[in-house]
Amino acid sequence: MFPHHREREQPIFSARAHVFQIDPTTKRNWIPASKHAVTVSFFYDATRNVYRIISVGGTKAIINCTVTPSMTFTKTSQKFGQWADSRANTVYGLGFATEQQLHQFAEKFKEVKDAARLAREKSQDKELANTALTIAAPQFSQSPPVMCVNGPEDKLFRSQSADITLSSEKERIKKMLSEGSICEMNLEAELFTLQDSNSKLVAALHEANANVEQWKKQLTAYQEETERLRDQVADLEAHGPSDLLKDELTQSLEELEALLKAKDEEIHILQSKKAEYHEMEHQRDEAIHRLREMEMRNSDLERRIQNTEQNLSNSLEDRDRLDTEIQRAIEILDIKIFDLNDLRQSLVKLIDK
């Protein structure tokens, strides 16, 4: 049976790195899986007690690896590490910007691997307990190969049909949970990436605003200096200065005008960056809206799963009741067959006499 309340996967650690995969042909060369550094995150599924490594590039999942106790993360250089995923039949490689980031990722990988090992041991203990309960349960004998009573045959057929229905319901529920988990994981990874980009853009915007204020003060000072120089040029022209002094003043004025033009261009660039920041905010709001819609869909799925689980529970109870009735009918038939056998032996003895 599935749980009535399903928790979402939660990110527990993230780092940015360049992702590589081993060449499946040569098994020696690395093939880049991302053009730029992407976010690589550890996710924990509290419902299934499973840890996964996930990285999303655009709309494509670059890494979707379930951590097992047999995995090992190996540092092959100061900024590069790798591990093998036997389920995906590949080897992943991560290139980090600093040695400290590689060390942090390796420590987190070891911690998650130990947690996965403990989770597996608990799961095995639970399976052993369930197996012991199954062995201790009473075993029903099989029905005779030929049965001429219509009632038990009809009940046996209905029991088999109930088993098939239950299996199909379980497969459908697993498929629904898998689709919801994949969509939710993609949106959470996308939202996490947008939040990271948003924090960087906010820091850059604050720095740009500070630079704009500083450049405005410099621009005002340059304008005042330009006006002063123009007044000096006009004063010198009125008093008939030398040509050499005029050339020097003209050159200084041209340099100041060129500097003012450069500062104006920088201000325009900063204003365009501010527009890009607003666009990123709009994208973040859209991602949050999509995430909320997905949460609503997940709530609907949970309600449907609860209804389906209730139907499954009722079906199991009906099947157990049918098994009990079938066993009672089989016992009655065994008694009837035994009586008929005694009657047949008595008739044979009577005929022989």
Side-chain angles (χ1 to χ4, degrees), residues 36 66 72-73 112 163 182 195-196 221 236 244 264 294 302:
H36 309 287
T66 300
T72 302
F73 185 80
V112 169
D163 290 338
I182 291 173
Q195 289 176 346
D196 185 28
L236 290 173
L244 179 60
D264 287 336
M294 184 56 64
E302 288 178 358

Side-chain angles (χ1 to χ4, degrees), residues 6-23:
R6 179 177 174 272
E7 300 178 0
R8 303 197 311 269
E9 285 183 322
Q10 297 293 334
I12 58 177
F13 178 80
S14 296
R16 292 189 66 82
H18 291 272
V19 181
F20 300 87
Q21 285 187 348
I22 200 70
D23 189 344

Side-chain angles (χ1 to χ4, degrees), residues 266-327:
E266 291 180 357
I267 290 174
H268 288 311
I269 292 173
L270 288 174
Q271 289 176 348
S272 64
K273 287 184 178 179
K274 192 177 286 188
E276 292 177 358
Y277 169 73
H278 291 313
E279 183 179 354
M280 289 296 296
E281 280 188 338
H282 179 66
Q283 292 179 358
R284 183 193 62 182
D285 294 338
E286 289 182 350
I288 293 173
H289 179 67
R290 284 187 291 171
L291 182 61
R292 289 175 179 172
E293 290 181 349
M294 184 56 64
E295 289 177 349
M296 293 176 63
R297 289 182 58 191
N298 285 340
S299 300
D300 182 59
L301 284 174
E302 288 178 358
R303 288 194 298 270
R304 292 170 61 186
I305 289 170
Q306 290 176 4
N307 294 333
T308 306
E309 287 179 351
Q310 184 64 36
N311 294 334
L312 283 173
S313 177
N314 295 335
S315 299
L316 287 174
E317 292 177 358
D318 293 340
R319 188 182 67 176
D320 293 339
R321 187 169 60 256
L322 285 175
D323 290 341
T324 304
E325 293 178 359
I326 291 170
Q327 180 63 23

Side-chain angles (χ1 to χ4, degrees), residues 13-225:
F13 178 80
S14 296
R16 292 189 66 82
H18 291 272
V19 181
F20 300 87
Q21 285 187 348
I22 200 70
D23 189 344
T25 304
T26 62
K27 298 294 184 181
R28 293 182 179 179
N29 301 324
W30 290 105
I31 299 176
S34 62
K35 296 181 180 179
H36 309 287
V38 295
T39 301
V40 182
S41 304
F42 286 91
F43 280 83
Y44 174 61
D45 187 346
T47 302
R48 297 184 298 162
N49 204 9
V50 172
Y51 295 86
R52 290 199 297 168
I53 302 175
I54 296 173
S55 179
V56 179
T59 59
K60 179 182 178 183
I62 301 175
I63 301 176
N64 187 0
C65 171
T66 300
V67 180
T68 62
S70 61
M71 290 183 177
T72 302
F73 185 80
T74 306
K75 299 179 183 178
T76 57
S77 67
Q78 293 183 349
K79 299 180 182 179
F80 192 86
Q82 66 183 47
W83 81 94
D85 185 359
S86 58
R87 295 183 179 180
N89 193 24
T90 188
V91 179
Y92 294 105
L94 299 180
F96 296 88
T98 63
E99 185 176 357
Q100 181 181 4
Q101 292 178 356
L102 172 61
H103 179 71
Q104 291 176 351
F105 188 88
E107 291 296 324
K108 180 57 66 173
F109 193 99
K110 183 176 181 299
E111 178 183 339
V112 169
K113 185 180 74 170
D114 294 339
R117 177 178 56 80
L118 293 175
R120 174 173 290 186
E121 290 176 356
K122 291 180 180 179
S123 177
Q124 289 176 352
D125 293 340
K126 186 176 180 181
E127 289 179 0
L128 289 175
N130 292 336
T131 303
L133 291 174
T134 303
I135 294 174
Q139 302 294 327
F140 300 111
S141 61
Q142 296 182 353
S143 59
V146 178
M147 190 176 297
C148 298
V149 181
N150 293 332
E153 285 186 351
D154 183 59
K155 292 179 180 179
L156 283 173
F157 178 74
R158 284 189 293 168
S159 177
Q160 294 174 355
S161 300
D163 290 338
I164 296 174
T165 304
L166 289 174
S167 300
S168 62
E169 286 292 331
K170 289 181 179 179
E171 292 297 329
R172 188 171 66 84
I173 292 175
K174 289 180 180 178
K175 184 177 180 182
M176 289 165 56
L177 289 174
S178 176
E179 292 176 353
S181 177
I182 291 173
C183 295
E184 186 178 355
M185 175 269 295
N186 289 334
L187 282 178
E188 286 181 351
E190 183 179 353
L191 179 60
F192 189 83
T193 304
L194 285 175
Q195 289 176 346
D196 185 28
S197 301
N198 183 44
S199 61
K200 292 181 179 179
L201 284 173
V202 169
L205 182 62
H206 290 325
E207 183 180 357
N209 288 333
N211 292 333
V212 167
E213 294 298 329
Q214 182 180 0
W215 287 337
K216 283 182 178 180
K217 294 179 181 179
Q218 292 180 0
L219 181 61
T220 303
Y222 290 148
Q223 288 175 347
E224 293 176 355
E225 182 68 18

